[in-house]
Amino acid sequence: MGAGAGPDASEPSRADGMVSDIPGVPLVILTADCLPIILADARHKVVAAVHAGWRGTFDMIAANAVAAMVGAGANPAAIEARFGPYIGECCFEVGADLYSRFADKFSLAAAPDRPSLDLGRLNKSILIESGLRPENIQTLALCTRDNPDLFYSWRRDGVTGRQAAVAAIKNASNQLVVE
Ligand SMILES: [Zn+2]
């Protein structure tokens, strides 16, 4: 879940994806197992922050974010993507029914004995389909559930904190902050 606030901070919006071309307004995504994605076109000064759980991934939220960025002037070939930590395929077991829905939509292999999803690999392929260059997509191969010293994990801990991913266009400069 992400939340955005305008300069007066009076009307924060809550959504799983946000796009901005307004300098000085940071976009924040909070996650604990779901995949956080930061997208940035530095040349055209458009950024996006996306919270991609299995629902958002299935509904192609990353492709929707790219489309919204293009609507704000971005060029997919110029967009850089950074993936934050998420629950790895090693730990993200899903039911056979859900797996088969993904398998049909994303041409995955037939259900293995322990069906599981790799949100990073799925979203990387979605972004490439959307026109991003593979070399502009940096993923992080660290499972949230397997790294209790580093990350919060909802599947591991139940009640837990959240990782924050932030994207912003700096005020009055050409620099872009992605962290
Ligand atoms: Zn794991």
Side-chain angles (χ1 to χ4, degrees):
M1 179 66 77
D8 61 0
S10 59
E11 292 187 17
S13 58
R14 300 183 72 81
D16 274 353
M18 297 169 289
V19 173
S20 172
D21 58 0
I22 308 170
V25 177
L27 306 180
V28 181
I29 289 287
L30 301 176
T31 59
D33 287 345
C34 291
L35 170 66
I37 304 174
I38 297 297
L39 302 168
D41 180 337
R43 201 178 323 149
H44 303 98
K45 297 187 182 177
V46 183
V47 295
V50 176
H51 170 282
W54 70 260
R55 285 184 188 82
T57 298
F58 190 83
D59 291 337
M60 314 281 280
I61 189 172
N64 294 343
V66 171
M69 290 178 75
V70 169
N75 171 8
I79 295 175
E80 297 269 343
R82 299 290 180 272
F83 289 6
Y86 65 99
I87 188 164
E89 189 175 24
C90 46
C91 292
F92 195 32
E93 275 189 68
V94 297
D97 287 353
L98 182 59
Y99 184 89
S100 69
R101 286 173 63 197
F102 272 88
D104 288 347
K105 184 162 183 172
F106 296 98
S107 303
L108 304 180
D113 291 341
R114 273 178 74 251
S116 60
L117 296 175
D118 185 330
L119 296 175
R121 198 164 62 221
L122 289 164
N123 280 281
K124 183 172 182 178
S125 69
I126 289 168
L127 289 172
I128 291 169
E129 284 277 312
S130 298
L132 270 70
R133 299 179 194 277
E135 64 269 27
N136 287 348
I137 303 171
Q138 287 187 10
T139 62
L140 188 62
L142 284 174
C143 172
T144 48
R145 191 178 187 215
D146 288 333
N147 290 279
D149 294 342
L150 294 174
F151 305 124
Y152 297 111
S153 168
W154 182 81
R155 275 217 174 186
R156 186 186 64 231
D157 300 329
V159 176
T160 182
R162 297 285 186 270
Q163 276 79 238
V166 180
I169 305 164
K170 276 190 179 174
N171 275 318
S173 85
N174 291 322
Q175 285 180 292
L176 193 82
V177 179
V178 177
E179 54 189 32

